[in-house]
Amino acid sequence: ATESGQRAQEVLPDGTKVWLNASTQIVYTPTFWRRERQVDLSGEAYFEVSRNKTKPFVVISNDVRTCVLGTKFNVRARPSEEKVVTTLLKGSVKVQLPGQSEEEGILLKPGQMLSVDTRTMQPMLTEANRPGDVLLWINGKLKFKQHSLLEITNIMEKLYDLKFVYDDESLKTERFTGEFSTDNLPDEILNVLMHTNHFSYKKEGRIIRLSKK
């Protein structure tokens, strides 16, 4: 388990490498790993699974099962967000919703992201233009060097589960240089950017509207 502001890397008994983001907990019981390797996740973690054809690796988050044999993927299941987001970087994973059999699960291809609303269990599958961006939290740093505001907000959408709406399209091409911590709140990053260039923002739940001053 990690606390707020902490990150950690561990190797599980089967050789699987796991990186834990801040405020994350994984629980496993090796004695129960006879048929499948199962871990319970709350928070966010990146897995590089040690391949074993006879024992699938299963991550359980809010009754959503992510099943793999050997692959690289990220799962975000923060209690505050009421969703489980699985991003596949390499190999293949199958995500099973409550009541689904293994055959009925949703199969992901590399570069795809599946978001499941844990209230309705509605899944949404999307293509991630830069799936590696979801792993920026591992180093704890956000470095922008002449990045456009659109590039920055695209990264923030993945890291913080936000949606940005531009009231003025010209803002998308404004460029910024700076360094932040992934532990910074979205407001802290936006406030710094806002003062270096003249725009304002307004939060409406998880939607942030950007407009020129």
Side-chain angles (χ1 to χ4, degrees):
T2 54
E3 298 178 2
S4 177
Q6 284 187 325
R7 273 167 295 277
Q9 180 186 354
E10 298 290 341
V11 178
L12 301 184
D14 67 329
T16 291
K17 296 177 182 177
V18 57
W19 286 257
L20 278 64
N21 202 350
S23 304
T24 295
Q25 176 176 291
I26 63 168
V27 178
Y28 66 92
T29 308
T31 54
F32 292 150
W33 281 19
R34 295 187 182 96
R35 192 175 67 83
E36 62 181 23
R37 298 167 288 168
Q38 178 181 311
V39 300
D40 294 283
L41 168 71
S42 175
E44 181 171 22
Y46 169 62
F47 297 87
E48 291 188 352
V49 176
S50 179
R51 190 168 184 82
N52 186 331
K53 286 185 178 181
T54 62
K55 290 185 180 180
F57 190 94
V58 181
V59 179
I60 297 181
S61 314
N62 294 313
D63 296 324
V64 176
R65 287 169 55 94
T66 302
C67 311
V68 306
L69 292 176
T71 190
K72 298 179 181 182
F73 65 102
N74 191 82
V75 178
R76 190 176 78 233
R78 298 180 188 134
S80 61
E81 293 181 358
E82 296 184 315
K83 63 175 59 179
V84 176
V85 182
T86 302
T87 305
L88 179 62
L89 286 93
K90 184 179 180 181
S92 65
V93 299
K94 183 173 282 187
V95 178
Q96 291 170 245
L97 307 181
Q100 282 188 331
S101 68
E102 191 171 333
E103 291 74 26
E104 294 172 314
I106 302 166
L107 192 65
L108 272 68
K109 298 175 183 176
Q112 289 185 325
M113 178 183 294
L114 182 73
S115 178
V116 179
D117 188 315
T118 54
R119 295 162 299 182
T120 63
M121 286 299 163
Q122 281 294 313
M124 184 172 69
L125 186 65
T126 56
E127 298 286 340
N129 293 331
R130 294 172 56 176
D133 284 349
V134 300
L135 300 182
L136 288 169
W137 63 262
I138 286 178
N139 295 320
K141 298 290 183 185
L142 285 178
K143 293 183 180 180
F144 304 128
K145 188 172 183 179
Q146 285 299 298
H147 280 52
S148 69
L149 188 56
L150 180 61
E151 289 174 318
I152 293 171
T153 54
N154 282 343
I155 289 171
M156 291 179 67
E157 283 184 343
K158 292 172 186 160
L159 285 176
Y160 300 109
D161 188 37
L162 298 169
K163 176 68 177 175
F164 285 88
V165 176
Y166 285 82
D167 289 338
D168 190 320
E169 291 288 311
S170 67
L171 280 174
K172 292 181 176 180
T173 57
E174 298 286 345
R175 298 196 171 271
F176 299 85
T177 295
E179 182 174 318
F180 301 91
S181 164
T182 53
D183 296 325
N184 284 132
L185 296 173
D187 284 317
E188 293 173 324
I189 295 174
L190 289 171
N191 285 335
V192 171
L193 299 178
M194 185 175 69
H195 289 303
T196 59
N197 209 316
H198 304 297
F199 70 88
S200 59
Y201 70 93
K202 183 179 180 183
K203 293 180 72 173
E204 301 167 359
R206 305 207 74 81
I207 297 174
I208 297 180
R209 305 188 70 91
L210 302 175
S211 57
K212 281 200 168 183
K213 281 185 178 178

